Amino acid sequence: MSLKYGIIGSGAIGGYFGGMLVKGGHDVHFLFHSDYDFVEENGLKVDSINGDFVLPAVNAYSNTHDMPPCDVVLVCLKTTKNKELKHLLPPLLHENTVVLLIQNGMGIEADLQKLFPNLHIAGGLAFICATKMGPGHIAHLDYGKLNIGSYSCPDNAVLQQICQDFEKSGIETEILNLQEARWKKLVWNIPFNGMTVIMNTTTDALIANADMRQLLHRLMIEVIEAGNQCDLADNPIPLDYADEIIHMTEHMTPYSPSMKVDFDSKRQMEINYLYTQPIEYAARAGYNMTGTAVLEKQLRFIQSTYLIK
Amino acid sequence: MSLKYGIIGSGAIGGYFGGMLVKGGHDVHFLFHSDYDFVEENGLKVDSINGDFVLPAVNAYSNTHDMPPCDVVLVCLKTTKNKELKHLLPPLLHENTVVLLIQNGMGIEADLQKLFPNLHIAGGLAFICATKMGPGHIAHLDYGKLNIGSYSCPDNAVLQQICQDFEKSGIETEILNLQEARWKKLVWNIPFNGMTVIMNTTTDALIANADMRQLLHRLMIEVIEAGNQCDLADNPIPLDYADEIIHMTEHMTPYSPSMKVDFDSKRQMEINYLYTQPIEYAARAGYNMTGTAVLEKQLRFIQSTYLIK
């Protein structure tokens, strides 16, 4: 039986993954927001390092009430919009729907589970450089892997089928321990997302400075220690994972993380799930993320200076 | 016997205190840098909330080799210039000269004592809003108290005489435990100097934001705990001193701390004695100033983006 996919949040990530699934022959239904009319008229265009393509007709919707129940719902919203899931999701759900949260941060699944206690939830981490160029137009610039893991699925059967669908559509995937994957991604996200905003610069400028590199490394150690204490005692992330991440970033193309892009566009930043929730989660486990807490407050101050509340 | 005063660093603080001493009838000798020619020609002008005055002729010098030995040398340089004291001070010293470092931070006296092992050193903390308006022209905007304490004076006799001279010249003074006074001043300086630079704003904007106020408070607690562990175990600063300082700052005129003024003028910031040395001093005493350490690295990064090294 083939899976029916729904995509909530058809921006760079959702548009790319959904577009690749359509191109791979799958049944995909997209929720669009401001791009709906444009996509209805013109379809979806993906400029990818692996080859450009256009999908002249996609199943586009402007409201989830018009969408069919789906077997898999990819949530590719900014987490700042996750409050809307309460109203967006129900029309898409049947008894065994898996909702895959392709988002960054800690505590996202737990918050959704509170709203939908019986929902099968999985988390996804996209390792991808993609950006929206215009309405219905996505550029895929680099990488592209999708790691997924169960949060409250009865077993991994559907996740394995999802992986097969993605792989056949040209997207590398892996099934991982979700909490470990989330903490590992935070090892990069917590230092670099916040610091590029606070210092108003790019990753390469930060990492080229010896003092800053030392601070970034210290923050990485803090995230690793928090993760190990919260979830990973049996299989801890080794501390030298921080060196690996520093080394990887030194060899990356200069990059504005998503939070910096949000800041530059005067959009709300994902402070809650990237900073506040990991800090609170770690504190409940008895670990104080003191450096991360400085960044969190600085980011909240910065956001208050430009965001109308 | 009346004291002969030398002033090294005749900017806002040195010019104001020196000018008040001259006005009070004392024998004062000023080292000027770029302002020398102007002051030789025009004298020194002080616009003070307590009354403006002009000193048409002051003892101005452009080189300490031309200055007489003094009983008291007020060092009012930025601490970033303290390396120069090695060459500036010797002509001003006799056997019992007291060098009074009217500067901010931790470790300043210890560094000078290494250079001059037999020197009588005292520290001073100026609670004053003063600014240089132009060559030989100082504005005294608010406050004005000078607290002093011995670092390596044989006794408090000369400090008492200095206080009398200042009091008679219209400046309130007090003799305090120097380490306690320095830590207490850091309780304000560490949060506000760095944060106004990093957030590129003024004290009132910081303190009006609830998240930032919480962070500032946490940094204050960190400084208090560091001070208590380093020097003040017998007579610790109470933790609610932080609330006092928050309350005081809420009722202050919006203010750019000296580090922010340096940053805005693209001058070197006093990171070493305000951040690095307190952090290292506390670390040697077994206390980790983890929040302060984030600010230190951020400031070093910021300085590297504008300062030619």
Side-chain angles (χ1 to χ4, degrees), chain B residues 91-152:
Chain B
L92 292 167
L93 304 180
H94 60 61
E95 204 182 338
N96 295 309
T97 300
V98 170
V99 172
L100 179 60
L101 299 167
I102 305 182
Q103 302 183 306
N104 280 320
M106 192 52 65
I108 315 171
E109 292 85 6
D111 279 355
L112 186 64
Q113 196 79 79
K114 275 181 219 148
L115 295 176
F116 300 94
N118 301 314
L119 187 63
H120 300 170
I121 301 178
L125 298 93
F127 291 82
I128 184 173
C129 288
T131 185
K132 218 176 103 173
M133 306 297 285
H137 183 189
I138 287 142
H140 167 224
L141 306 167
D142 212 350
Y143 308 103
K145 193 176 171 185
L146 179 67
N147 290 339
I148 65 178
S150 170
Y151 182 77
S152 58

Side-chain angles (χ1 to χ4, degrees), chain B residues 7 19 79 93 121 147-148 152 196 200 206 228 249 264 279 286 300:
Chain B
I7 314 270
T79 54
L93 304 180
I121 301 178
N147 290 339
I148 65 178
S152 58
T196 50
N200 197 20
L206 290 177
N228 288 345
T249 311
D264 288 337
I279 290 166
R300 289 198 178 278

Side-chain angles (χ1 to χ4, degrees), chain B residues 10-232:
Chain B
S10 306
I13 305 288
Y16 174 71
F17 284 137
M20 291 292 279
L21 285 172
V22 172
K23 189 161 158 276
H26 298 283
D27 184 15
V28 186
H29 302 262
F30 296 85
L31 176 70
F32 283 97
H33 187 59
S34 53
D35 290 6
Y36 172 73
D37 290 330
F38 185 93
V39 173
E40 268 292 274
E41 189 96 2
N42 305 280
L44 188 64
K45 186 167 183 294
V46 178
D47 299 342
S48 168
I49 46 162
N50 301 326
D52 302 353
F53 61 93
V54 179
L55 304 168
V58 297
N59 302 312
Y61 306 83
S62 64
N63 192 312
T64 53
H65 289 282
D66 303 328
M67 295 173 75
C70 293
D71 303 307
V72 182
V73 177
L74 309 186
V75 174
C76 304
L77 296 168
K78 290 272 171 197
T79 54
T80 50
K81 306 271 183 205
N82 273 23
K83 315 179 241 331
E84 297 176 19
L85 289 175
K86 189 178 178 179
H87 305 289
L88 289 174
L89 276 182
L92 292 167
L93 304 180
H94 60 61
E95 204 182 338
N96 295 309
T97 300
V98 170
V99 172
L100 179 60
L101 299 167
I102 305 182
Q103 302 183 306
N104 280 320
M106 192 52 65
I108 315 171
E109 292 85 6
D111 279 355
L112 186 64
Q113 196 79 79
K114 275 181 219 148
L115 295 176
F116 300 94
N118 301 314
L119 187 63
H120 300 170
I121 301 178
L125 298 93
F127 291 82
I128 184 173
C129 288
T131 185
K132 218 176 103 173
M133 306 297 285
H137 183 189
I138 287 142
H140 167 224
L141 306 167
D142 212 350
Y143 308 103
K145 193 176 171 185
L146 179 67
N147 290 339
I148 65 178
S150 170
Y151 182 77
S152 58
C153 299
D155 56 53
N156 274 351
V158 179
L159 299 191
Q160 276 156 3
Q161 204 178 341
I162 294 170
C163 285
Q164 279 170 23
D165 288 351
F166 271 90
E167 296 276 350
K168 282 185 196 152
S169 304
I171 292 165
E172 205 190 332
T173 58
E174 199 172 337
I175 296 180
L176 296 172
N177 175 308
L178 182 62
Q179 290 307 90
E180 182 185 352
R182 288 234 173 275
W183 279 111
K184 278 182 142 179
K185 192 149 190 194
L186 284 177
V187 174
W188 194 89
N189 272 326
I190 282 182
F192 284 105
N193 271 276
M195 206 69 85
T196 50
V197 171
I198 296 162
M199 298 287 106
N200 197 20
T201 190
T202 49
T203 54
D204 57 318
L206 290 177
I207 210 146
N209 179 274
D211 288 294
M212 182 50 77
R213 204 165 51 241
Q214 205 183 318
L215 173 55
L216 296 166
H217 187 271
R218 195 183 303 158
L219 290 166
M220 289 177 189
I221 295 293
E222 192 170 288
V223 179
I224 293 171
E225 290 181 342
N228 288 345
Q229 185 142 339
C230 285
D231 291 307
L232 312 172

Side-chain angles (χ1 to χ4, degrees), chain A residues 129-145:
Chain A
C129 289
T131 184
K132 217 175 103 172
M133 306 296 285
H137 183 190
I138 287 140
H140 167 224
L141 305 167
D142 212 351
Y143 309 103
K145 193 176 170 185

Side-chain angles (χ1 to χ4, degrees), chain A residues 195 198-199 201 205-206 209 211-212 214-215 218-219 290-291 293-295 297-298 300-302 304 309, chain B residues 195 198-199 201 205-206 209 211-212 214-215 218 290-291 293-295 297-298 300-302 304 309:
Chain A
M195 206 69 85
I198 297 162
M199 298 288 107
T201 190
L206 290 177
N209 179 274
D211 287 295
M212 183 49 76
Q214 206 183 317
L215 173 55
R218 195 183 303 159
L219 290 166
T290 51
V294 174
L295 269 58
K297 296 298 180 197
Q298 290 179 327
R300 289 199 177 276
F301 176 78
I302 288 170
S304 79
K309 279 175 287 196
Chain B
M195 206 69 85
I198 296 162
M199 298 287 106
T201 190
L206 290 177
N209 179 274
D211 288 294
M212 182 50 77
Q214 205 183 318
L215 173 55
R218 195 183 303 158
T290 50
V294 174
L295 270 58
K297 297 299 181 196
Q298 291 179 327
R300 289 198 178 278
F301 176 77
I302 289 170
S304 79
K309 278 175 286 197

